Amino acid sequence: MENKELFKSIMADVNKYVIKNGNPIIILDDHYMREVMTLYAKQHNLIESTLLLLDNNHNEEAYVLARSVLNNYFLIGYLLNDRDGRRLKEYRIQPLLSGIKDLRNIKKALKRPIIKNLEEKGKSLPFTKTDINRKLKELTKKIEDEGFTAKRDLLKIKDIATKSDEKGLELYITFYAQGSKYEHSDISTLDIYKTPVLDDYDKNDVFIMSTDATNENLGNTVYSIVVQSYLDSLFKIIDKITNEDQQLRINFDEDKLSDIFIKATNLLNI
């Protein structure tokens, strides 16, 4: 994890001059860069937290956040490659599709005996089947107004990764899927917390629990993920700002963007 201080310096400049933390940004005409910049701000915070975990020797926990960093990286690339606006609309209806899925599950739950028993005992729920149907109708209309069907599946992260850029699928297979093991506490990731005590016993039988233990090599992997994701997203965003849209350029100091671009390029070349 060499050159971490240089990376942190770049992040500080990005926060000030690209994300423009604490300063207004004007993006009109329902532009996709609204969502992109918000996703990048989230990515920035996730990486700050990841670096803090790495500094405190919690590499396994840092991988959980690095997985979320990749998630944002894929979404940023996915939206920046939106040629006709349909990806942006589909991204925006995801909460509506999730809401419909949740409501349908609630409808199924209302048919269960335990719910009927509650009703028979005079204990009313905070909602009724009529309420759910009305809400389903509202969400369905909003989705259809955007040109989609409410029966549409939620976006899958693998598909988003594949469509984000030429490296997306590789990053998904190599790092995101592996990070899922740490996210979901796969049993294969938990041995690190158990230190063997006696040579004659398996460490799963006799061990010392250690919250200080960590996989040092994993730290390098996590650091590589967040640096590459952050800087690749940065390069894409700067390219869009400086080369494609005048309304975006008025929000930024192009000399500062150029300086950041050079520093970031130099870091990758070290």
Side-chain angles (χ1 to χ4, degrees):
M1 286 182 279
E2 298 178 359
N3 304 304
K4 187 184 287 187
E5 293 309 311
L6 175 57
F7 181 52
K8 289 181 178 179
S9 171
I10 292 171
M11 288 187 68
D13 288 343
V14 168
N15 194 40
K16 184 174 182 179
Y17 298 112
V18 180
I19 296 172
K20 295 177 67 69
N21 186 31
N23 292 292
I25 295 179
I26 302 172
I27 302 178
L28 305 176
D29 302 325
D30 201 26
H31 203 286
Y32 61 85
M33 282 296 285
R34 295 177 187 172
E35 273 64 36
V36 168
M37 294 304 296
T38 307
L39 285 165
Y40 195 51
K42 178 64 175 178
Q43 189 180 30
H44 178 91
N45 281 353
L46 284 167
I47 291 177
E48 281 196 334
S49 300
T50 303
L51 295 178
L52 185 61
L53 286 171
L54 291 175
D55 287 343
N56 284 278
N57 221 34
H58 293 307
N59 297 341
E60 288 72 21
E61 290 70 31
Y63 206 154
V64 175
L65 292 187
R67 179 176 176 271
S68 295
V69 169
L70 279 174
N71 192 87
N72 276 37
Y73 171 79
F74 297 146
L75 280 168
I76 287 170
Y78 179 78
L79 292 177
L80 287 176
N81 284 324
D82 186 10
R83 297 184 180 182
D84 58 7
R86 190 167 179 82
R87 288 185 181 182
L88 177 61
K89 289 182 178 181
E90 188 168 19
Y91 173 62
R92 285 177 172 169
I93 68 166
Q94 294 307 295
L96 304 179
L97 292 172
S98 292
I100 285 179
K101 183 177 179 180
D102 291 340
L103 289 169
R104 286 173 177 164
N105 286 335
I106 292 173
K107 280 187 72 173
K108 290 179 182 178
L110 289 177
K111 298 177 182 178
R112 297 178 63 182
I114 188 171
I115 301 297
K116 292 181 179 179
N117 290 339
L118 286 173
E119 292 174 342
E120 289 171 0
K121 293 177 180 178
K123 296 181 180 180
S124 60
L125 297 173
F127 49 79
T128 65
K129 186 176 179 180
T130 300
D131 295 329
I132 294 171
N133 287 334
R134 183 179 67 251
K135 187 63 176 177
L136 279 170
K137 197 170 183 179
E138 291 174 1
L139 293 178
T140 297
K141 185 178 185 309
K142 288 181 179 179
I143 292 170
E144 290 175 347
D145 286 346
E146 294 297 328
F148 298 93
T149 171
K151 294 181 180 180
R152 191 178 188 85
D153 290 334
L154 287 162
L155 285 170
K156 295 179 175 61
I157 190 61
K158 183 179 180 181
D159 293 336
I160 294 172
T162 302
K163 296 175 182 177
S164 63
D165 59 31
E166 67 279 358
K167 295 181 294 186
L169 181 58
E170 178 185 346
L171 288 170
Y172 175 86
I173 294 171
T174 308
F175 298 120
Y176 187 89
Q178 182 69 17
S180 297
K181 295 181 180 180
Y182 295 92
E183 168 72 21
H184 301 298
S185 296
D186 185 292
I187 194 169
S188 66
T189 68
L190 301 178
D191 278 352
I192 191 71
Y193 303 107
K194 294 179 286 190
T195 303
V197 180
L198 301 173
D199 292 339
D200 294 336
Y201 291 88
D202 187 280
K203 77 172 182 179
N204 288 315
D205 296 327
V206 181
F207 59 88
I208 294 173
M209 190 66 74
S210 175
T211 57
D212 299 321
T214 195
N215 182 336
E216 296 295 341
N217 292 329
L218 190 63
N220 293 323
T221 298
V222 170
Y223 182 68
S224 175
I225 291 170
V226 298
V227 170
Q228 192 68 55
S229 299
Y230 190 78
L231 297 185
D232 276 2
S233 293
L234 173 66
F235 294 147
K236 292 173 184 175
I237 290 170
I238 289 179
D239 178 66
K240 290 291 182 181
I241 291 171
T242 57
N243 295 323
E244 292 200 12
D245 203 317
Q246 173 62 28
Q247 76 145 316
L248 295 179
R249 290 199 294 273
I250 63 173
N251 289 283
F252 303 96
D253 183 328
E254 292 193 60
D255 289 335
K256 293 294 185 183
L257 294 184
S258 178
D259 290 343
I260 294 169
F261 186 93
I262 293 170
K263 283 177 67 176
T265 302
N266 289 339
L267 175 59
L268 290 179
N269 291 333
I270 291 176

